[in-house]
Amino acid sequence: PNVLLLGPPGAGKGTQSVNVAEEYDVPHITTGDALRANKDMETEYGTPREFMEAGELVPDPVVNEIVAEALSGGEGYVLDGYPRNTEQAEYLADITALDVVCLLAVSESEIIKRLTGRRVCKECGANYHVEFNPPKEEGVCDECGGELIQRKDDTEDTVKERIRVYHESTEPMVEYYREAGVLEEIDGDGTPEEVWAELRETIDAAI
Ligand code: AP5
Ligand code: ZN
């Protein structure tokens, strides 16, 4: 299937994309991870780092190119973190057709708790939470033994700016998909297992 996971920062897109990729055997395409891996790349707009650390969107041409390349091979995917505004959604519509767009809805207080407590593995990118999903040993990745760190954009002030950008730029795009008739809303406030159960049912019903 061609799946898009949408939602505010901290909605659980990354966490649930891993489940989708495994269940349907499709690649997980995430602009956030791709940009973090290339954050010092020089572009005509500057480096991705400058935008990301401020909680702003990286300019469309930079992310569009990343996605066009990632989608060029194979069939099926789960997209996470792209598109993020209507311009990107229109660009995407020219290169591929989505089967289902799943919106993970979460409350703002939950977002702040999730993101300020998130820790990620420096080596393999695995995701943890100090309270909701702690590693077996504090500060150490269960998967690979790598060091767990806090993302630079997960401080409270930057999280608030990311939420503001979501309301301003991404919410109008949600309406674009609602009008196109492909949008499904999922309650993202439950446990990861509860969210996954609802998400899987929704994808199965759409394909
Ligand atoms: P990106 O990396 O995409 O960040 P984001 O959209 O803000 O999303 P997050 O990764 O913060 O959250 P998530 O929804 O994946 O949640 P997660 O599963 O980790 O983008 C970062 C930056 O890159 C942007 O600000 C922008 O600058 C740039 N960028 C990226 N794409 C771009 C684009 N298309 N255009 C322009 N710029 C772009 O979960 C969060 C935490 O909660 C974790 O600790 C997790 O363990 C925990 N958790 C997850 N689910 C649950 C649950 N159900 N209950 C309790 N805890 C949970
Ligand atoms: Zn790791």
Side-chain angles (χ1 to χ4, degrees):
N2 295 349
V3 179
L4 168 56
L5 288 192
L6 269 186
K13 303 181 295 294
T15 302
Q16 298 300 336
S17 289
V18 171
N19 293 330
V20 176
E22 197 179 320
E23 173 82 13
Y24 301 99
D25 195 22
V26 291
H28 173 198
I29 298 174
T30 155
T31 43
D33 286 355
L35 290 166
R36 273 183 290 280
N38 295 287
K39 54 181 181 286
D40 293 316
M41 172 177 75
E42 291 293 344
T43 76
E44 62 182 286
Y45 311 94
T47 62
R49 180 197 289 274
E50 296 158 34
F51 297 93
M52 297 173 82
E53 289 183 1
E56 308 301 332
L57 296 185
V58 174
D60 292 344
V62 176
V63 281
N64 286 344
E65 194 182 318
I66 291 174
V67 171
E69 181 146 334
L71 287 179
S72 63
E75 257 174 56
Y77 51 78
V78 52
L79 264 175
D80 156 16
Y82 178 97
R84 252 177 155 89
N85 58 31
T86 308
E87 292 72 26
Q88 293 179 11
E90 286 168 348
Y91 178 86
L92 182 68
D94 281 340
I95 53 178
T96 185
L98 294 163
D99 293 318
V100 61
V101 176
C102 302
L103 172 65
L104 301 178
V106 285
S107 59
E108 194 153 321
S109 57
E110 179 73 17
I111 293 174
I112 300 195
K113 266 192 275 172
R114 285 189 190 177
L115 291 184
T116 53
R118 170 167 57 187
R119 298 294 180 270
V120 292
C121 175
K122 215 176 154 180
E123 304 302 327
C124 76
N127 236 314
Y128 298 87
H129 190 282
V130 290
E131 192 182 331
F132 308 135
N133 177 25
K136 292 195 186 80
E137 187 185 339
E138 197 186 319
V140 181
C141 179
D142 293 347
E143 309 283 331
C144 76
E147 184 193 350
L148 302 186
I149 56 167
Q150 182 171 36
R151 255 167 62 173
K152 275 234 168 76
D153 60 349
D154 278 348
T155 57
E156 190 160 341
D157 282 349
T158 310
V159 169
K160 287 193 171 143
E161 177 60 12
R162 287 159 62 198
I163 294 171
R164 192 193 66 76
V165 169
Y166 178 80
H167 289 312
E168 183 180 84
S169 303
T170 311
E171 267 174 356
M173 182 193 80
V174 174
E175 292 316 308
Y176 164 95
Y177 284 124
R178 201 189 303 278
E179 279 163 27
V182 287
L183 189 74
E184 299 289 344
E185 269 186 67
I186 289 169
D187 178 5
D189 270 332
T191 65
E193 293 73 25
E194 286 165 349
V195 176
W196 169 230
E198 190 182 342
L199 178 60
R200 184 171 54 189
E201 263 177 46
T202 304
I203 296 172
D204 284 341
I207 59 176

